[in-house]
Amino acid sequence: MSRKLLAEFLGSLLLAALVIGSGIAAQRLSTDTGLRLLENAAATAAGLFAIILMFAPVSGAHFNPVVSLADAALGGLSWRHALAYVPAQVLGCVAGAVLANVMFALDPVSIATTQRATVAHGVSEVVATAGLLVVIFSLVRSGRADRAPAAVGAYIGAAYWFTSSTSFANPAITIGRMFSDSFAGIAPASAPLFVATQLAGAVVAVVLLRVLYPVGSGSPAGRVSTPANRSMVSGTSQ
């Protein structure tokens, strides 16, 4: 368990540093908002693929509380493990935000001021989170888990653009991004809406997965949490 928690912490740290750091770089290198988002999305999609490959054999590479909770709800991970993963993921994302700030010579901690709490953003987070979980667990429950790293990176890269929230889809990264007043930041007042709608998206995804990919018919759902059989992951994005 200690190895798994360390992997989840380090993976979440790198994920937050990737998302926030690439956002800061894009903000400094480009003046056009669309180009900044393109740069941020491309870096996140590629980097997420690599991070998943690094840590999947150890912990399953969740880096996201809704992935861990959905895994437990679907019977692939014990609730004890899932609840242990969550604080490691949150602490990792906060540490990653601090690291990103330091790497770009900013104050280690700066509270974000970007307001994102609108109905459109909330709906977007439900859609983004549900979609992410369906991508992950549809592959796992149909015996195609080895394709998850690429699929998750591709989905998150696309979701930057087709959702108005730019697809955070991750409560841990939402909390982490409060600690960087930069392109990828989110004001603390907006975070509760994002976390609530991400959890709602997880509920939607679990219901859909139980209907579309029920246990049986060769489904490997019972093997989801075995590191040797997994290439799963999480997400987040700008």
Side-chain angles (χ1 to χ4, degrees):
M1 174 62 88
S2 60
R3 290 174 61 248
K4 292 179 180 180
L5 293 180
L6 179 60
E8 285 297 301
F9 173 81
L10 291 174
S12 298
L13 182 155
L14 288 174
L15 177 61
L18 167 66
V19 172
I20 295 170
S22 63
I24 296 171
Q27 191 171 22
R28 291 185 177 182
L29 295 171
S30 308
T31 57
D32 181 81
T33 303
L35 183 56
R36 289 173 176 175
L37 186 60
L38 178 61
E39 293 163 346
N40 195 195
T44 299
L48 182 56
F49 178 34
I51 295 171
I52 293 167
L53 291 177
M54 273 191 274
F55 295 106
V58 182
S59 68
H62 289 189
F63 319 143
N64 186 338
V66 294
V67 173
S68 300
L69 296 175
D71 199 357
L74 293 168
L77 184 70
S78 72
W79 283 103
R80 181 175 69 87
H81 279 69
L83 294 176
Y85 274 19
V86 172
Q89 292 158 352
V90 173
L91 291 174
C93 284
V94 172
V98 173
L99 177 60
N101 290 336
V102 170
M103 288 194 295
F104 285 89
L106 300 175
D107 291 337
V109 174
S110 58
I111 303 303
T113 56
T114 303
Q115 300 292 334
R116 300 178 186 263
T118 68
V119 173
H121 285 133
V123 173
S124 292
E125 283 301 293
V126 172
V127 172
T129 306
L132 173 65
L133 294 179
V134 171
V135 166
I136 293 169
F137 291 101
S138 65
L139 293 174
V140 171
R141 291 168 76 88
S142 61
R144 298 173 293 160
D146 59 315
R147 303 180 188 180
V152 169
Y155 176 82
I156 289 299
Y160 263 80
W161 291 91
F162 79 78
T163 63
S164 64
S165 65
T166 63
S167 181
F168 283 47
N170 183 337
I173 199 74
T174 300
I175 293 170
R177 287 162 69 161
M178 294 191 302
F179 295 89
S180 180
D181 189 18
S182 60
F183 183 69
I186 179 172
S190 298
L193 172 68
F194 272 58
V195 173
T197 51
Q198 288 156 2
L199 292 173
V203 172
V204 171
V206 169
V207 171
L208 288 174
L209 286 160
R210 288 189 183 281
V211 173
L212 296 172
Y213 293 91
V215 175
S217 300
S219 168
R223 298 187 285 119
V224 171
S225 288
T226 303
N229 294 324
R230 300 174 73 172
S231 244
M232 299 187 23
V233 176
S234 83
T236 151
S237 60
Q238 158 55 25

